[in-house]
Amino acid sequence: MTVTGQDTDAIRALQGLADDRSSVRLRAALAVGTTPDPRFVDVLIERSAIEPEFFVRDMLTWALTRHPVSLTLPVLVREVRSERAQARSQALHTLSKLGDRQAWPAITRALLTDADDEVARSAWRAAVVLVPEGEESALAAVLATQLGRGERQTQLSLSRALVALGDVILPALHAATTAPDPRVRAHALATRRLLRDPDARFECAIEEAKRVVALGGSGQEGR
């Protein structure tokens, strides 16, 4: 078999993806994305599942988006069912970057409510990008079940995802303002504030919502 210069470059890039140095892995991912090759797809996805550095993972995602969707989409859809949390999270992140709504059936309720916060956050972001027209209200209802979940960054991610859906989220938020859990009520109120005022800071919105809830208000007075 004749080994061409292009094949040599491909071998070098693939080896670089497994190098101990993050700078080398970054350059390798850049090289792979610059010269897409179907042989790279499986390796890129496998590396995404274990890559420890955020900026390298981001470059791996970019490299995947440079390959034909017909090649990457089936593998990513398979990967969102992986037992490895990072594999699920990165596959969802890449699907959101591809933006191809053929992936929508893969965004299951199980992923939207995944026990791992990073997976759930990636699923929320992917869902609002991929949701078909007419399915927004149903998605909002599922996302609303996660109100009050996690620490501040997780809550902010959920609020941003909900706000991206627009006014269709209002019924779900309204229902959540009467939930028994004060964290859920406060998060719902803060999200509604962000919907009305996109320039509002989440920190301010959530603290104001906590005060309303602590005082026994539902926030419905200002609807």
Side-chain angles (χ1 to χ4, degrees):
M1 179 185 293
T2 301
V3 178
T4 67
Q6 187 175 12
D7 286 333
T8 302
D9 290 343
I11 293 169
R12 186 180 299 116
L14 292 175
Q15 290 173 338
L17 290 174
D19 196 276
D20 289 339
R21 296 161 292 179
S22 61
S23 60
V24 174
R25 298 197 303 276
L26 183 67
R27 288 196 299 272
L30 175 61
V32 170
T34 302
T35 310
D37 185 315
R39 293 173 295 178
F40 293 142
V41 171
D42 285 340
V43 178
L44 287 170
I45 289 179
E46 289 168 7
R47 185 66 211 178
S48 296
I50 60 173
E51 172 55 51
E53 297 292 341
F54 168 79
F55 55 90
V56 179
R57 293 199 302 271
D58 220 35
M59 189 65 78
L60 291 167
T61 288
W62 173 79
L64 281 164
T65 65
R66 297 271 296 160
H67 290 76
V69 172
S70 60
L71 295 178
T72 56
L73 190 64
V75 190
L76 290 167
V77 166
R78 182 195 68 204
E79 195 74 352
V80 301
R81 299 191 293 270
S82 171
E83 293 184 1
R84 186 189 292 269
Q86 183 172 306
R88 299 196 301 278
S89 177
Q90 283 302 119
L92 287 162
H93 175 64
T94 305
L95 286 173
S96 73
K97 295 300 182 183
L98 290 178
D100 191 312
R101 287 183 169 174
Q102 292 182 83
W104 170 246
I107 312 300
T108 61
R109 187 185 186 100
L111 288 170
L112 294 169
T113 60
D114 197 283
D116 186 281
D117 283 347
E118 286 304 312
V119 175
R121 291 171 65 184
S122 295
W124 302 337
R125 289 190 291 266
V128 298
V129 170
L130 302 174
V131 62
E133 187 174 352
E135 298 280 346
E136 295 91 349
S137 294
L139 174 58
V142 176
L143 294 181
T145 66
Q146 302 302 291
L147 287 165
R149 169 180 174 164
E151 300 302 323
R152 197 57 52 90
Q153 279 303 115
T154 298
Q155 293 189 5
L156 175 57
S157 291
L158 180 59
S159 290
R160 285 174 171 166
L162 283 163
V163 167
L165 295 174
D167 288 346
V168 299
I169 69 173
L170 287 171
L173 293 182
H174 177 66
T177 60
T178 62
D181 188 338
R183 283 171 55 88
V184 173
R185 298 200 302 274
H187 195 182
L189 290 174
T191 303
R192 194 174 67 193
R193 166 74 185 281
L194 293 182
L195 178 64
R196 290 173 170 171
D197 181 8
D199 293 327
R201 291 181 61 247
F202 183 73
E203 287 290 335
C204 297
I206 196 71
E207 290 305 322
E208 178 185 339
K210 284 181 177 180
R211 287 193 292 272
V212 171
V213 169
L215 292 171
S218 64
Q220 303 309 315
E221 301 82 359
R223 290 185 75 234

